[in-house]
Amino acid sequence: MPRALVAIFACAAGLSVANVYYAQPLLDALADDFGISRGAAGGVVTSTQAGCALALLFLVPLGDQWGRRRLMLVQLALLTLSLLAVSTATSAVALLLGMTLVGMLGTAMTQGLIAYASSAAGEHERGRVVGATQGGVVVGLLLARVLAGGIADVAGWRGVYLASAAGMVVLGVVLWRVLPRQPTLGTRQRYVVLLASMFRLLREERTLQIRGVIALLMFMAFSIFWSALVLPLSAAPFHFSHTSIGAFGLVGAAGALAAARSGYWADRGWAQRTTGVALALLVFSWLPLAGLQVSLGWLIAGVLLLDLAGQAIHVTNQSLIFAARTDAPSRLVGAYMLFYATGSGLGAVAATATYAAFGWRGVCVLGAGVSLTALAFWAATLRGMPAAAAGRR
């Protein structure tokens, strides 16, 4: 695959997924504007994750049936309209509904682009191409916090979603010009049969089951941190602006880029070894994160480790899953990301509730416990992996 096309896939996926995460550094502003308590503010993020789950169930599998190019452009147009709806919301109900649609269409675009890139890549380069595209996703979701914070300080939270809608229009023009046309995969199936086949993959593919649970726990830990971070940093003694809080996403982006080689390592057969090291780093990252009240330096070190580990795990998961069934990339990524949406939604709700009850240290204990559970599950299921995947040391 040409490097330019890989870069376009990565950038488009990053811009699409950013829409799902703009709300995280804005939770305090949204809570104040719509009269939502700080302890319940995580429900805004949970609504976007509910949209993610709906997309994974009902939209992402369509990539294995419809022309992917046309599907991407239609979904992008609908995403633009959803962003405009959020920017003009006047009630909490309208806000939550709009966030659900943004989560639904932003996720459909993102995962559709990953499946698109995977199917267009050669067998020998699939891990590298998926890794690069997923790198764009992680950088996009982390830089979303920087961009959202900066725009919100200048134009308010509504300006964030208006600016994103304009960006989606520009992205649509680019994708219309450069996305390659691809034939649909397999025999045309009825929509209900197509959806049922995704659940059959969940029931039959052992690799998908094991790596999906690891993803659920990893993304739950990830969401626990990023959903709660705005709460201590916006309060005493820091009183940081949204721009300053969002800037911590730059540190996370550096960690994500450092893990870009994980797809290459998976291609070389080192997927399990990479996973074990990354999960150990995920557990360890909560130790410096707990030092937030002592020094921001500890927080920066913890963010770097957290996102380095998360990116390595995620890319390795997808490399193993796509290799298991090359004939159904859209349904595989849809099924896999159901675990992601579940973990992210649970993490957001647990984070804000835990912070309200136990403060930042309580959040760190919760995150470390979830991360340790993921490490223990990986170790316990090593022998249960299918022979092909288990052979990737």
Side-chain angles (χ1 to χ4, degrees):
M1 183 182 293
R3 290 181 181 272
L5 185 55
V6 176
I8 288 171
F9 273 122
C11 291
L15 289 170
S16 298
V17 78
N19 294 292
V20 183
Y21 292 91
Y22 285 139
Q24 284 189 346
L26 308 176
L27 289 180
D28 57 333
L30 290 168
D32 292 341
D33 204 4
F34 289 94
I36 304 171
S37 70
R38 296 297 178 94
V44 175
V45 176
T46 302
S47 68
T48 65
Q49 297 306 323
C52 291
L54 291 172
L56 298 170
L57 285 169
F58 300 111
L59 295 182
V60 173
L62 291 173
D64 289 338
Q65 288 275 112
W66 292 11
R68 289 196 174 95
R69 183 176 183 275
R70 181 182 64 173
L71 185 61
M72 293 296 97
L73 295 175
V74 169
Q75 289 174 346
L76 188 56
L78 294 175
L79 175 59
T80 303
L81 294 176
S82 300
L83 290 164
L84 291 173
V86 169
S87 71
T88 57
T90 56
S91 68
V93 172
L95 174 69
L96 294 176
L97 178 60
M99 288 292 186
T100 301
L101 291 173
V102 167
M104 185 175 182
L105 292 159
T107 299
M109 276 291 301
T110 304
Q111 302 309 319
L113 286 164
I114 292 173
Y116 205 150
S118 172
S119 64
E123 182 70 28
H124 65 286
E125 64 176 358
R126 183 169 289 115
R128 177 182 66 84
V129 172
V130 169
T133 307
Q134 185 58 47
V137 172
V138 175
V139 171
L141 68 87
L142 294 172
L143 294 187
R145 300 173 177 94
V146 182
L147 184 61
I151 295 176
D153 283 340
V154 175
W157 71 265
R158 295 181 189 274
V160 174
Y161 290 94
L162 284 171
S164 183
M168 292 302 102
V169 173
V170 175
L171 178 61
V173 173
V174 173
L175 294 182
W176 175 71
R177 292 179 63 88
V178 305
L179 279 180
R181 298 181 184 275
Q182 284 186 313
T184 55
L185 297 175
T187 306
R188 191 85 174 183
Q189 303 178 71
R190 288 186 298 126
Y191 181 60
V192 173
V193 175
L194 180 70
L195 297 185
S197 69
M198 186 173 71
F199 289 98
R200 188 167 62 251
L201 288 172
L202 273 171
R203 186 177 67 251
E204 296 175 354
E205 291 294 333
R206 185 67 171 165
T207 300
L208 176 61
Q209 295 166 357
I210 292 174
R211 304 305 292 204
V213 173
I214 292 173
L216 185 153
L217 294 168
M218 183 271 289
F219 277 112
M220 185 175 179
F222 203 75
S223 183
I224 286 169
F225 172 74
W226 285 109
S227 296
L229 182 63
V230 65
L231 301 176
L233 292 185
S234 62
F238 301 107
H239 297 294
F240 283 172
S241 67
H242 289 109
T243 302
S244 299
I245 296 171
F248 283 96
L250 292 171
V251 180
L257 288 173
R261 296 278 293 177
S262 56
Y264 170 77
W265 294 333
D267 286 339
R268 290 179 64 89
W270 301 338
Q272 295 292 5
R273 185 181 302 173
T274 301
T275 303
V277 172
L279 284 168
L281 283 177
L282 187 68
V283 175
F284 179 75
S285 69
W286 291 97
L287 184 60
L289 290 174
L292 166 63
Q293 303 295 341
V294 177
S295 169
L296 288 177
W298 286 114
L299 178 65
I300 291 171
V303 170
L304 187 65
L305 291 174
L306 182 80
D307 288 301
L308 170 64
Q311 168 71 343
I313 295 164
H314 193 34
V315 170
T316 303
N317 280 350
Q318 291 188 96
S319 297
L320 290 174
I321 290 167
F322 284 137
R325 286 282 299 272
T326 58
D327 61 323
S330 292
R331 281 167 288 171
L332 280 171
V333 78
Y336 168 72
M337 293 302 288
L338 282 172
F339 293 97
Y340 146 84
T342 302
S344 294
L346 291 174
V349 172
T352 51
T354 300
Y355 183 83
F358 303 106
W360 181 250
R361 293 291 176 86
V363 169
C364 292
V365 170
L366 176 64
V370 172
S371 303
L372 187 60
T373 302
L375 177 60
F377 178 82
W378 167 79
T381 55
L382 270 176
R383 293 185 178 180
M385 286 287 286
R392 298 185 174 199
R393 295 181 297 274

